[in-house]
Amino acid sequence: SQTIHQWPATLVQPVGSPLSLECTVEGTSNPNLYWYRQAAGRGLQLLFYSVGIGQISSEVPQNLSASRPQDRQFILSSKKLLLSDSGFYLCAWNQRGRGFDGYTFGSGTRLTVV
Amino acid sequence: QKEVEQNSGPLSVPEGAIASLNCTYSDRGSQSFFWYRQYSGKSPELIMSIYSNGDKEDGRFTAQLNKASQYVSLLIRDSQPSDSATYLCAPKETGANNLFFGTGTRLTVIP
């Protein structure tokens, strides 16, 4: 069966520090991968999605970036965090090449920038 | 601009009652719709999908879709305290494999 892993679960970082969040999917190949952010009291905002290694689409201009160095690995990064980057970061996946049937989220990373 | 409107609630219903959650969306081309349940502090979990106009039933859940009115709803029959959560409506974006989400309706089922 397929599983998605995200780490760390929680993170407290000072303003101006770098960020690296990692997401991996097991039990499948060629997944579509997504990064969402959920700020307090707000909806889920799509940040990045990827249909393959090295292929990244950005939905929102910001100081975040994403990379996909391997087929089942998706990384969210920042060189310098802002207070506004605080939120609940969620990685999600679905199977490419099959009819779209929604996607599965990882357990999320709660980031607090102080 | 793609928008999804949901009543933020909280919606309170007594145990055993029917909970009705509503959603309207702006993307007229959306063809697929999904309902996610999110417990406090947890990630969203897919509970229902619907692609055609009309009703789709799965256990105690019924999704209803009216594309002409750009309206989708979720009914929860025999509501249980364990149904207390935020419910997110998510249409699929036209021409892309992305979902865009409403802010969700918080449901509280009172024992």
Side-chain angles (χ1 to χ4, degrees):
Chain A
S1 63
Q2 302 93 355
T3 55
I4 178 169
H5 301 280
Q6 266 190 264
W7 66 92
T10 59
L11 196 57
V12 180
Q13 292 285 98
V15 169
S17 63
L19 173 74
S20 181
L21 302 180
E22 189 164 342
C23 169
T24 60
V25 180
E26 293 181 356
T28 188
S29 58
N30 301 319
N32 292 320
L33 295 171
Y34 308 83
W35 279 112
Y36 278 82
R37 177 172 61 198
Q38 189 175 38
R42 301 179 67 177
L44 282 160
Q45 179 186 34
L46 178 62
L47 302 176
F48 302 95
Y49 67 93
S50 172
V51 299
I53 295 174
Q55 300 179 63
I56 309 294
S57 296
S58 174
E59 289 292 304
V60 182
Q62 62 224 327
N63 67 321
L64 299 172
S65 62
S67 62
R68 186 168 175 176
Q70 300 179 43
D71 181 46
R72 293 171 291 172
Q73 183 185 31
F74 204 22
I75 297 173
L76 182 70
S77 304
S78 174
K79 293 182 179 178
K80 288 185 177 182
L81 284 168
L82 307 173
L83 285 174
S84 58
D85 291 324
S86 294
F88 192 34
Y89 288 81
L90 291 154
C91 182
W93 79 278
N94 69 353
Q95 187 61 60
R96 191 169 2 130
R98 204 172 65 187
F100 188 90
D101 56 357
Y103 35 65
T104 301
F105 285 94
S107 55
T109 296
R110 193 163 301 280
L111 171 66
T112 303
V113 182
V114 296
Chain B
Q1 184 173 349
K2 300 177 286 292
E3 292 183 354
V4 180
E5 297 287 337
Q6 292 184 258
N7 188 328
S8 61
L11 172 66
S12 295
V13 300
E15 184 174 355
I18 296 175
S20 178
L21 307 166
N22 304 317
C23 170
T24 58
Y25 58 94
S26 63
D27 185 355
R28 185 169 290 279
S30 291
Q31 297 295 315
S32 307
F33 303 85
F34 302 85
W35 282 98
Y36 283 79
R37 177 177 62 200
Q38 186 175 23
Y39 292 114
S40 180
K42 303 296 185 181
S43 61
E45 171 192 15
L46 180 64
I47 55 171
M48 285 287 287
S49 60
I50 186 166
Y51 306 97
S52 304
N53 282 329
D55 295 359
K56 178 183 177 183
E57 186 175 320
D58 184 0
R60 295 186 296 110
F61 299 98
T62 299
Q64 300 174 317
L65 174 61
N66 183 327
K67 292 182 183 178
S69 301
Q70 295 175 245
Y71 175 87
V72 58
S73 66
L74 180 70
L75 301 178
I76 306 174
R77 291 182 302 280
D78 188 24
S79 295
Q80 301 297 308
S82 59
D83 295 325
S84 298
T86 296
Y87 289 81
L88 304 171
C89 171
K92 177 181 171 296
E93 182 178 344
T94 303
N97 283 330
N98 305 328
L99 297 178
F100 55 107
F101 287 83
T103 54
T105 297
R106 186 155 60 92
L107 172 68
T108 300
V109 180
I110 303 167

